[in-house]
Amino acid sequence: MAKIFTIGFSGKSPDAFLDVLNAVRVRTVWDIRLWRTSTYVPFYSGDSLAGVLGPRYEYHPEFAPTAEILSGYKDGRITWPDYERMYRELLSTHHPTAGIASDALDRVCLLCTEKSATQCHRRLAAEYIAEQIPDVEIVHL
């Protein structure tokens, strides 16, 4: 059974973030953010993470929400249930798991900003992956 993790970096120091990844032996971090820059914490910008994590870092924009969905939710025009529905529809039309084998997912960690996975697209992406690929366990870090 493949185990995939999700993590949000908000509120985590760079050392704590790396400690969590290493403690659960994350093989690869998949950055699934639409925008990979972090003005307030530059360590979490895509280029910085790629430098720190090396080959353990991959950008997977196929799992990112659209700018319309994300900005609509952030500015209150879209409710969380609508965001969930729209994001799931986006995934179902893009088929981002096509060609991915379950063994390639083992110990992958989906990265986003939000502290909690409850209202974050990384939870929805992980659930989508688990629906598409058999024998996947999800662990939110």
Side-chain angles (χ1 to χ4, degrees), residues 61-122:
E62 66 272 22
F63 286 101
T66 63
E68 177 185 50
I69 295 170
L70 185 58
S71 63
Y73 175 66
K74 289 198 178 269
D75 69 18
R77 290 179 291 119
I78 297 173
T79 64
W80 179 252
D82 287 337
Y83 180 100
E84 283 190 2
R85 179 186 49 75
M86 294 168 78
Y87 180 72
R88 289 177 195 274
E89 288 172 1
L90 178 69
L91 293 178
S92 70
T93 59
H94 288 157
H95 308 288
T97 56
I100 299 175
S102 66
D103 60 336
L105 290 169
D106 194 33
R107 309 210 89 65
V108 162
C109 185
L110 306 181
L111 168 76
C112 195
T113 308
E114 300 298 324
K115 188 176 220 172
S116 168
T118 304
Q119 286 187 311
C120 181
H121 81 287
R122 73 178 186 271

Side-chain angles (χ1 to χ4, degrees), residues 6 8 17 20 22 25 30 32-33 36 43 54 58 79 81 94 98 100 113-114 124 129 134 136:
T6 77
F17 172 78
V20 169
N22 292 330
R25 299 182 334 270
W30 285 11
I32 63 169
R33 297 175 290 170
R36 300 181 310 143
F43 175 83
E58 296 178 9
T79 64
H94 288 157
I100 299 175
T113 308
E114 300 298 324
L124 304 175
I129 291 168
V136 171

